[in-house]
Every structure is written in C-alpha cells, then in structure tokens.
Amino acid sequence: SGTPIENSISEMWSMFDFLMPGFLGKHKDFLEDYEAPIISGNEDSADALERLKIRIAPFILRRLKNDVLKDLPPKHTVINYCDLTKEQKELYMSILEAARIEIFETVKRKGFAQSHIEIFSALTRLRQVCCHPRLLHSDLRKDIRSSGKFNLFIEMIREAIAGGHSILVFSSFTKMLNIMREALKKLNIDYLYLDGKTKDRMPLIHKFNNGEAPIFLLSLKAAGTGLTLTQADTVIHYDLWWNPAVENQATDRAYRIGQKRAVTNYKLITRGTIEEKILELQNKKKNNGLTRKIDRSKLDEFINKLSFELTDDQKKAIDEIFNDLESPSRMNRLLQGDVGSGKTIVAFLALYINYLAGFQGVLMAPTEVLAKQHYQNMLSLFGNLMKVDIITGSVKKVDKIKIFNK
C-alpha cells in the first residue's frame, strides 16, 4: 500500500482479516483487547500497544522516504495562524449559532446516524466563512467581503515571490481558487490553474516546472495525486481537509524524486474556529493512538541544563526529530555509528526524546545480541560527552534507559 493506516486501528484489523482471517480474532474482541485500551491512554494502553506490535511485527515492512531517497532535502511544516476580521467574526458566530440549532433539531428528528449530511453541510459553511465570506450564498454573507486569512495569504504570496520561491496553492474549494485568480490578476502576478475540469494537464505541468509562472493554483481533489511539480519549494494549504493523508499526498507533488531544494509546507489556520478542531483531528489521525504526546517544555528544560550551547544546526536537527516522531529508523541510524562529534549530541538528545515518548519499539532490538550491540553503540557515542551519565537496568529493555546531566 502507498497509503498508511490513517483513520483507525480497526482498519488494520480489517486488512489482516482479509489477508489472514481470524489472525487478530473477531472484531468485537479486537476492540476490547486492543483498540479501546490503546485509544484510552490509561495504564493499560502501553501494554495493549506492545502486545499488538509484537503480534503484527512479522508482517509489517515500512520504508520512509528518508530511508529510500538519501539525497532528498528536508521538508518543514509551518502552521500560520490568523484571526477573523471583526465583521467576519460576527458572521461566523451567527452561522455557528444557526448550525447548532439546525443540527440539534435534525438529530432530534432523524437521529444522529441519519443526520450526517446535515452535520457535514453545517461544518462546511463554517469552513467557508474561515476561508472567505464570498464562498457563502449572498443571502448568508450579506455585504461582508473581508477575510483575515485571505489578507495573510496575499501577504505570504508577495513575500514568497520576492524571495524567488515557486509556490503550489491547494484548496478544496474551487470557488476559493477563483477568488485567488481575481486577486492575482489585479496584482499582475502570473499563475497557472488546475481543477477537475482541466482536460490537458501536461502543458500546465511543463510550464510550471520550466519556471514560466511562480504560482500554481490547484484543486486538492483534482491535483492531490499523480503530478510531479518539483519546481515548487513552497506549498500552501489554504484550507484544511479532514484527512491529513490527503494533504500529505498533495504536498508530495513537490517533495519527491527530483527535488533539489528544501520544501516548506504551510497550513493556514484561523484562531478560535472549527479549523483548530480539524487540526486536532488531523494530529489524532496522524498519531493514530500509536505515539504518545510529548511536552516540548520538558525537552527545552533538559537542553537548558546542558553544560554546552547547541549550534543552530543541532537545534534544527532536534526540531526535525521532535516533529517527526514517526521516523524511528532515523534515530536508529544515529545510534549505529557513523556519527561525528556534532551529531553525537544530536543522537544523545534524540535518545532523550525517545525516553520522553516512551517508545518501546524505537530502540527495542529483536535479539539479545542486537540489544547488546545497541547498548555498546550508545556507550561509545555518549561516553565521550563530559558531565553525562547513562544508566540502564536491563540490556534488553533499552527503552528504560534514564539519562541524567550531572
């Protein structure tokens, strides 16, 4: 599969039940034994997760882009927040109140299971207000035409073009893309446009990759897969989609084989609105209950206690590891030698991040021999660091290592 398990742990049960019926038992039992305790995050969560990992491990092979494409430059995701304008906020609150009444009445009349369309429609109207009031029907928006997010977007576009960047802009609303087209024309900024109605795509792709226009406006559903647009080094997701995997596929139009520059992926979020809830939902789906949230302040507190200052490169590397907790293979490579003095410190802090996260799978070796090898590697890596001790109570339980700064 080119797509990860992205919605729920039950989807994994479904795939295994198709491939090997009965391997993970009945779905009801799977929910009780694995999914419910894992999602709950209580004291049984770690045990259930570990049991599930051990059971499926022989049948899972995961390769990350960083493993396959060694020369691929880094990708950074930046969340840019903005505020609703005053009149936009008044409109949002009125739409929100109307949506509450509508949903309550619909659920009361039809039941929750039969009300999904009405609920989704109400949520879509709230998303539209965040993007631009002009997306709403004129009866709803009245004469309101200002948008805090659109103002931020235009500012970002101007700065990116001034900096010589090539930009992909994704939106799930084609009407929003048309509003962007109007604005770019007024600003005399060249752009290309693609949506579901575009029949001949290749000439547009060639034009963009040849640098004939700095901006490519793209419908998320129509252009989220199948295109190679490595001329771009900047991706802007104007509005969020419910499933983060869809956005990731779209971002990877730029971040793929042939990309020579670092790619910056921007998500625009309106404060105090449904967009913050969608971002929370995306993060839950991304983590899928398989990782534990880490308090960044604990890491920063630990770094401040170190007897040395981190370089800018080291800080950047630590940020990337902290923000990419789904890449244990990268951490393991750090711990298997071929590490210079600067990277040694990065590896040390990577291990501390691992300790905070409580990842039992990251450093757990499948055999005692490999476990001892891991342990020896860590001793050689960190043994030359002044004022640092590493204490372990068990060779096999590498994840139980505690790190202290004297």
Side-chain angles (χ1 to χ4, degrees), residues 40-182:
S40 70
N42 59 27
E43 56 186 17
D44 298 326
S45 179
D47 178 63
L49 180 57
E50 185 64 19
R51 286 189 288 109
L52 182 58
K53 280 183 178 180
I54 292 171
R55 190 153 181 78
I56 66 174
F59 310 102
I60 299 290
L61 174 64
R62 185 184 185 203
R63 295 190 307 167
L64 304 176
K65 266 186 180 169
N66 291 338
D67 298 328
V68 181
L69 304 175
K70 303 292 185 182
D71 298 327
L72 201 62
K75 177 177 69 173
H76 309 285
T77 296
V78 179
I79 309 296
N80 269 9
Y81 287 91
C82 62
D83 295 302
L84 297 167
T85 64
K86 183 179 178 181
E87 56 183 6
Q88 191 182 10
K89 186 173 184 178
E90 292 174 357
L91 175 63
Y92 182 89
M93 297 309 294
S94 67
I95 296 290
L96 177 61
E97 186 58 31
R100 281 177 177 154
I101 295 171
E102 178 189 349
I103 291 172
F104 179 79
E105 292 297 328
T106 303
V107 172
K108 186 178 179 181
R109 187 177 71 256
K110 299 168 61 176
F112 181 79
Q114 302 300 319
S115 305
H116 290 175
I117 294 176
E118 289 84 355
I119 293 171
F120 188 75
S121 176
L123 296 176
T124 299
R125 289 196 295 275
L126 293 173
R127 292 177 60 226
Q128 288 174 326
V129 178
C130 295
C131 290
H132 205 297
R134 286 175 59 188
L135 296 185
L136 293 171
H137 191 276
S138 56
D139 292 343
L140 290 174
R141 73 167 185 263
K142 301 175 183 178
D143 295 327
I144 300 173
R145 301 177 67 86
S146 64
S147 167
K149 180 184 285 195
F150 194 65
N151 294 340
L152 171 64
F153 170 74
I154 293 299
E155 181 183 338
M156 289 176 64
I157 288 294
R158 282 175 164 159
E159 289 181 3
I161 291 176
H165 298 283
S166 294
I167 312 142
L168 303 182
V169 181
F170 288 98
S171 176
S172 54
F173 300 110
T174 54
K175 192 172 180 180
M176 188 67 238
L177 293 174
N178 286 325
I179 293 173
M180 294 176 186
R181 294 171 77 178
E182 292 176 13

Side-chain angles (χ1 to χ4, degrees), residues 134-289:
R134 286 175 59 188
L135 296 185
L136 293 171
H137 191 276
S138 56
D139 292 343
L140 290 174
R141 73 167 185 263
K142 301 175 183 178
D143 295 327
I144 300 173
R145 301 177 67 86
S146 64
S147 167
K149 180 184 285 195
F150 194 65
N151 294 340
L152 171 64
F153 170 74
I154 293 299
E155 181 183 338
M156 289 176 64
I157 288 294
R158 282 175 164 159
E159 289 181 3
I161 291 176
H165 298 283
S166 294
I167 312 142
L168 303 182
V169 181
F170 288 98
S171 176
S172 54
F173 300 110
T174 54
K175 192 172 180 180
M176 188 67 238
L177 293 174
N178 286 325
I179 293 173
M180 294 176 186
R181 294 171 77 178
E182 292 176 13
L184 294 176
K185 283 179 182 177
K186 290 180 182 178
L187 295 171
N188 293 317
I189 297 175
D190 292 330
Y191 69 88
L192 297 168
Y193 177 85
L194 189 153
D195 64 15
K197 296 179 181 178
T198 304
K199 293 182 178 179
D200 197 358
R201 298 179 168 204
M202 290 312 297
L204 295 173
I205 294 169
H206 289 317
K207 282 184 179 180
F208 182 78
N209 285 332
N210 289 333
E212 295 182 30
I215 300 175
F216 207 155
L217 303 177
L218 301 153
S219 164
L220 182 64
K221 291 184 180 179
T225 58
L227 305 181
T228 297
L229 300 166
T230 49
Q231 171 65 17
D233 63 349
T234 302
V235 179
I236 299 176
H237 287 280
Y238 188 85
D239 47 271
L240 298 186
W241 189 243
W242 304 96
N243 194 332
V246 174
E247 288 183 7
N248 293 339
Q249 290 271 28
T251 301
D252 287 349
R253 300 312 95 210
Y255 192 64
R256 57 200 306 107
I257 295 174
Q259 181 57 263
K260 303 297 183 185
R261 298 176 290 175
V263 173
T264 304
N265 175 41
Y266 292 97
K267 295 186 178 188
L268 308 190
I269 308 293
T270 310
R271 289 189 188 90
T273 70
I274 189 175
E275 292 189 331
E276 288 187 321
K277 301 297 183 183
I278 296 175
L279 185 62
E280 288 178 17
L281 178 66
Q282 284 191 348
N283 289 334
K284 285 182 181 178
K285 286 188 174 184
K286 181 181 178 183
N287 292 333
N288 202 19

